[in-house]
Amino acid sequence: MKHPLAELYDGHDEIQAEIDRRFASQPAPDAPGKPAADAPAGTVERHHPKRLRLVVGEIRAETADTRTYRLRREDGQPLPPFLAGQYVNVFTDGTSRPYAIASSPSWHVEYYELTVRRVPKGRISNLLIDTLAVGDRLTTTGPMGTFHHNPLFHGDDLVFLAGGSGVAPAMSMLRAIAEQGRDAACRIHLVYGSRHADDVIFRDELAAIAATHPDRVRVDHVIGGLLTAETINELTGPLRGRMVYICGPQAMYPYALEQLTLLGHPRRRIRFEANGAPARPEAQPHWPAGADGAEQVTVTACGTRFRTPRNRPLLDALEDQGIRPEAACRSGECGMCVVRVVSGETHTAEEGRLRMADERFGYTHSCVAYPLTDVEIEV
Ligand code: FES
């Protein structure tokens, strides 16, 4: 059945066939004639596969609008290891979305659990929740992302401010503590904001972990209110020397940064999970004055010319035309979606982590780049 929100994206079958072709062209790690699994090349393929083919083994309803999908490898083999806080990029409906892994990392990873909350009018979250069933197959990347705990740089005393389904990476960290017990490397104080009490995800498990590991884990819920500086201070006490992780809806980021700054917490002790392209790039300070975001410009790429609004990320606009640069984080961080601007002018959002050489030679991250004028793009 076709999902109503998918009607813009005809051609799903060809796209899936293309994904399948790319998948099939990857050498199997243990294929005859390939290097042994413990040889360097085999190790890289095993730990950092470009694509994984996973089967939905179990679906749990967490709240009225949130589901957790337990995904296993089709061939029953262990999955590539990951660090708590990392994500996989899920390919579907001609595009992809990153979802944080909420399950515990361990040396023998049998499954990844992805927790998906409906986003109003969200193309992929609604499609997954409405159509994905046990036994269905999904193509994903291997685990990716830098939003994980690194004890060398981040210390072992962490505060995690989560909003909505942004609790998923925190859950992975807490489950790791629950598994490791007294050997766990860190303490975490989770401050978890939800609109309503019914929206809280993992409520019972969070309470159980906090009760079992009172020396390592503390969980506070903030229901229906903002994580103001006062609330944060009241709950966490002094933040000095602690690393603060933030994951939640986009609007939470500037607000949380402002509140932590009011508390005198330095920016270098705050880590944000990347969370999509900015909803309103026009609101960013270096968006050119007077450039109407809704106005259409012409994009030329891969022999195709099409019109798109200035405020639609180039990656999304290219995918609408069946042109699919490789992509993962869709937030400007990983650099997988890089394209070259041959002519014309683009706006790269503040989220885009461009290297100096990218800027110098005209490259940008298409997931957070917007065409300001007619542009020609090399993919
Ligand atoms: S997909 Fe990661 S930077 Fe664009």
Side-chain angles (χ1 to χ4, degrees):
M1 188 192 77
K2 192 168 177 60
H3 191 276
L5 288 169
E7 62 196 5
L8 257 180
Y9 304 95
D10 278 328
H12 167 271
D13 292 345
E14 288 139 56
I15 293 157
Q16 190 60 52
E18 186 186 336
I19 290 171
D20 288 347
R21 261 198 311 280
R22 288 189 197 178
F23 188 80
S25 68
Q26 280 189 86
D30 297 310
K34 293 282 158 219
D38 57 356
T43 304
V44 170
E45 277 168 20
R46 212 151 31 98
H47 291 287
H48 303 285
K50 266 186 101 173
R51 296 287 187 270
L52 289 167
R53 184 69 112 178
L54 306 178
V55 183
V56 181
E58 187 183 317
I59 301 176
R60 287 198 307 278
E62 303 286 0
T63 69
D65 63 358
T66 311
R67 301 283 179 277
T68 291
Y69 300 91
R70 180 173 285 190
L71 307 172
R72 296 176 188 277
R73 218 169 160 136
E74 245 185 346
D75 58 11
Q77 294 297 305
L79 286 157
F82 65 98
L83 295 165
Q86 289 193 299
Y87 66 87
V88 293
N89 196 29
V90 175
F91 294 89
T92 187
D93 197 29
T95 182
S96 61
R97 292 291 181 277
Y99 286 101
I101 305 172
S103 45
S104 168
S106 61
W107 292 114
H108 185 81
V109 183
E110 287 177 18
Y111 55 81
Y112 301 146
E113 287 191 343
L114 307 185
T115 297
V116 180
R117 167 163 282 174
R118 271 188 206 283
V119 177
K121 296 192 181 165
R123 174 177 162 192
I124 299 305
S125 61
N126 286 285
L127 177 63
L128 292 176
I129 289 177
D130 290 338
T131 63
L132 200 59
V134 169
D136 284 353
R137 285 163 171 74
L138 273 182
T139 302
T140 72
T141 59
M144 307 181 73
T146 57
F147 186 71
H148 52 76
H149 177 226
N150 180 334
L152 271 184
F153 295 105
H154 308 156
D156 59 5
D157 194 357
L158 316 179
V159 171
F160 200 120
L161 306 181
S165 58
V167 72
M171 197 64 213
S172 183
M173 294 179 188
L174 293 172
R175 282 171 168 158
I177 289 181
E179 263 182 18
Q180 293 159 17
R182 295 201 66 79
D183 295 336
C186 62
R187 282 187 300 279
I188 300 185
H189 186 162
L190 171 66
V191 180
Y192 178 17
S194 303
R195 264 204 201 124
H196 308 284
D198 289 352
D199 292 334
V200 176
I201 310 173
F202 310 127
R203 177 192 290 278
D204 294 345
E205 192 177 346
L206 287 171
I209 295 175
T212 315
H213 303 279
D215 52 335
R216 299 258 170 216
V217 175
R218 181 172 159 185
V219 177
D220 283 302
H221 293 279
V222 176
I223 308 292
L226 293 171
L227 299 182
T228 61
E230 199 182 357
T231 304
I232 295 169
N233 187 44
E234 205 175 284
L235 295 173
T236 66
L239 291 173
R240 192 182 165 80
R242 302 165 85 181
M243 184 61 81
V244 180
Y245 288 68
I246 302 176
C247 186
Q250 256 186 15
M252 179 180 172
Y253 290 12
Y255 183 78
L257 179 60
E258 191 183 296
Q259 302 308 302
L260 291 168
T261 307
L262 282 174
L263 291 172
H265 201 57
R267 177 65 185 83
R268 68 176 187 284
R269 305 295 295 170
I270 303 171
R271 307 200 68 221
F272 292 98
E273 171 60 316
N275 197 4
R280 291 205 59 244
E282 305 98 313
Q284 295 200 332
H286 62 298
W287 180 273
D292 178 0
E295 196 174 308
Q296 300 227 337
V297 294
T298 300
V299 175
T300 306
C302 301
T304 305
R305 278 162 77 87
F306 60 91
R307 304 276 288 166
T308 184
R310 281 196 180 110
N311 59 8
R312 184 153 176 75
L314 268 173
L315 176 62
D316 293 2
L318 291 166
E319 286 180 342
D320 291 347
Q321 304 300 316
I323 301 167
R324 270 169 281 284
E326 190 71 34
C329 71
R330 301 185 83 93
S331 306
E333 186 194 55
C334 72
M336 303 278 284
C337 65
V338 74
V339 296
R340 191 166 77 87
V341 183
V342 179
S343 66
E345 205 186 323
T346 56
H347 163 90
T348 300
E350 287 161 349
E351 287 79 353
R353 299 208 188 151
L354 295 183
R355 299 169 306 175
M356 277 168 70
D358 290 334
E359 298 191 70
R360 178 152 176 221
F361 295 106
Y363 290 91
T364 186
H365 295 177
S366 60
C367 63
V368 292
Y370 302 83
L372 292 173
T373 62
D374 292 349
V375 291
E376 185 182 348
I377 301 296
E378 186 181 280
V379 177

